[in-house]
């Protein structure tokens, strides 16, 4: 995704603030230079740490979107729903093994939040993979981004937010003017549906994060998402899911789309303010366009590229407005 996998109330924030969040913050945030003395050394250390964090966020976005591109290559083998099932099952196994969340001692409201998050996760990924089976990856991520963008605009309640909403609408109009017939209306509808579920994911993730330590709630929700998606994947792909090559590529997709991004985002969030992180993650459509071009051979015209740029700018503006 997206984000396939993202928490918090702004576009593009990620669920990677993770299982090892209790480890002491070090490096650039410690306020000490290499020798522990001198403001110049401290400032230099913070600068290097922040630049490294920028690289981690960009690496996370590229890994996530290249994972989606590799997933699209698997569609002829197992279908979109089959690949979703593989990705979520492997991601759940990875998160549950690393985080080892407790299953006991949780209230009914705790489990309601987890189940809601898991259903949102499973539905979001299923809709998104249906979208990229029909339209270019960059266009799908651009349309999906509208979900959290709308949530950010509504939550901000500022007049300037309407400007960003208008800019995003212009971008969507240009994307359509470039030929929604070529983009495939069903694919565009699936992407918009994924964006709506991304919004639900953000809401439920906030509730889950408030009730569970670290990202234990996310790990449990990923397990729920895997259970939700598995029957659809089995019905759709059947025995193809047991093919060793398909299983291996499915595991690779889970690492590219979950394991590696979560790890990079975990370390980046220790060094960057949340607002800066969210702005950088708004570049997801750019990463998706690059992955679609390099891995899938998908190219977009100037009109579509301009449309993506406008939606990215609107997302960045909405993040800055809501966090200021």
């Amino acid at each position: 995704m997206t984000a396939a996998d993202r928490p918090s109330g702004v576009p593009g924030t990620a669920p990677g603030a993770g299982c090892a969040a209790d480890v002491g913050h070090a490096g650039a945030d410690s306020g000490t230079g290499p020798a522990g003395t001198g403001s110049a050394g401290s400032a230099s250390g913070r600068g290097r740490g922040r630049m490294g964090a920028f690289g981690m966020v960009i690496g996370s976005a590229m890994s996530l979107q290249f994972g989606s591109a590799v997933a699209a290559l698997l569609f002829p083998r197992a279908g979109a729903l089959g690949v979703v099932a593989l990705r979520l099952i492997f991601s759940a196994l990875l998160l549950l093994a690393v985080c080892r969340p407790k299953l006991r001692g949780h209230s009914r409201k705790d489990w309601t939040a987890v189940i809601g998050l898991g259903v949102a996760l499973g539905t979001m990924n299923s809709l998104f993979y249906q979208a990229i089976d029909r339209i270019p990856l960059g266009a799908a991520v651009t349309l999906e981004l509208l979900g959290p963008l709308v949530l950010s605009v509504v939550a901000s309640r500022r007049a300037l937010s309407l400007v960003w909403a208008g800019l995003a609408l212009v971008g969507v109009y240009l994307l359509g003017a470039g030929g929604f017939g070529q983009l495939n209306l069903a694919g565009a509808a699936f992407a918009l549906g994924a964006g709506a579920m991304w919004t639900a994911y953000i809401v439920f993730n906030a509730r889950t994060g408030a009730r569970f330590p670290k990202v234990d709630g996310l790990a449990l929700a990923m397990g729920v998402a895997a259970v939700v998606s598995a029957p659809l994947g089995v019905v759709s792909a059947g025995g193809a899911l047991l093919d060793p090559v398909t299983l291996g590529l499915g595991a690779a997709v889970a690492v590219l789309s979950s394991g590696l991004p979560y790890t990079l985002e975990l370390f980046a969030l220790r060094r960057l303010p949340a607002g800066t992180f969210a702005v950088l993650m708004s570049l997801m459509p750019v990463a998706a366009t690059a992955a679609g071009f390099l891995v899938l051979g998908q190219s977009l015209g100037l009109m579509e590229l301009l449309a993506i740029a406008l939606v990215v700018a609107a997302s960045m503006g909405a993040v800055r407005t809501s966090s200021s």
Side-chain angles (χ1 to χ4, degrees):
M1 147 192 69
T2 88
D5 310 307
R6 313 260 148 226
S8 190
V10 291
T13 47
C19 307
D22 54 339
V23 177
H25 294 207
D29 291 337
S30 64
T32 59
T37 59
S39 59
S42 177
S44 176
R46 284 195 296 270
R48 286 194 298 269
R50 181 158 294 191
M51 288 304 296
F54 288 163
M56 290 176 191
V57 175
I58 294 172
S60 169
M62 296 302 289
S63 178
L64 184 62
Q65 299 308 329
F66 273 83
S68 294
V70 173
L73 293 177
L74 269 176
F75 290 167
R77 286 180 169 271
L81 293 177
V83 175
V84 169
L86 285 178
R87 183 259 177 95
L88 291 177
I89 289 170
F90 280 118
S91 296
L93 291 174
L94 179 65
L95 273 179
L96 290 170
V98 172
C99 298
R100 291 176 292 179
K102 295 180 180 179
L103 298 178
R104 297 180 179 179
H106 303 301
S107 68
R108 180 178 296 181
K109 289 185 177 180
D110 294 342
W111 283 112
T112 298
V114 162
I115 292 172
L117 178 57
V119 171
L121 258 174
T123 307
M124 176 179 67
N125 280 279
S126 296
L127 291 172
F128 180 73
Y129 275 35
Q130 292 282 357
I132 64 174
D133 193 26
R134 293 168 171 81
I135 63 177
L137 181 58
V141 174
T142 300
L143 291 172
E144 186 192 28
L145 187 64
L146 294 179
L149 173 60
V150 169
L151 179 62
S152 183
V153 168
V154 171
S156 175
R157 298 180 181 179
R158 296 186 181 184
L160 184 58
S161 295
L162 297 178
V163 175
W164 306 125
L167 189 64
L169 289 176
V170 171
V172 172
Y173 172 79
L174 290 178
L175 201 61
F180 258 130
Q182 297 177 1
L183 282 180
N184 183 294
L185 285 175
F190 279 126
L192 291 171
M197 293 311 301
W198 190 352
T199 302
Y201 169 85
I202 290 171
V203 173
F204 279 109
N205 208 343
R207 295 177 184 176
T208 303
R211 292 179 172 275
F212 289 84
K214 308 171 189 176
V215 289
D216 286 8
L218 177 63
L220 292 171
M222 191 70 78
V224 173
V227 171
V228 169
S229 67
L232 295 175
V234 170
V235 171
S236 173
L241 294 178
L242 300 178
D243 177 72
V245 175
T246 302
L247 285 172
L249 290 175
V253 168
V255 172
L256 283 172
S257 300
S258 299
L260 183 57
Y262 293 168
T263 302
L264 291 173
E265 290 163 7
L266 166 63
F267 289 108
L269 280 166
R270 294 179 180 179
R271 294 166 171 81
L272 289 177
T276 302
F277 179 86
V279 168
L280 290 172
M281 292 304 289
S282 295
L283 294 173
M284 276 291 180
V286 178
T289 301
F293 177 74
L294 293 173
V295 178
L296 302 174
Q298 298 173 344
S299 59
L300 298 174
L302 289 177
M303 192 71 74
E304 288 87 352
L305 292 175
L306 176 59
I308 290 172
L310 289 176
V311 174
V312 167
S315 178
M316 290 181 171
V319 168
R320 297 298 296 270
T321 300
S322 62
S323 62
S324 62

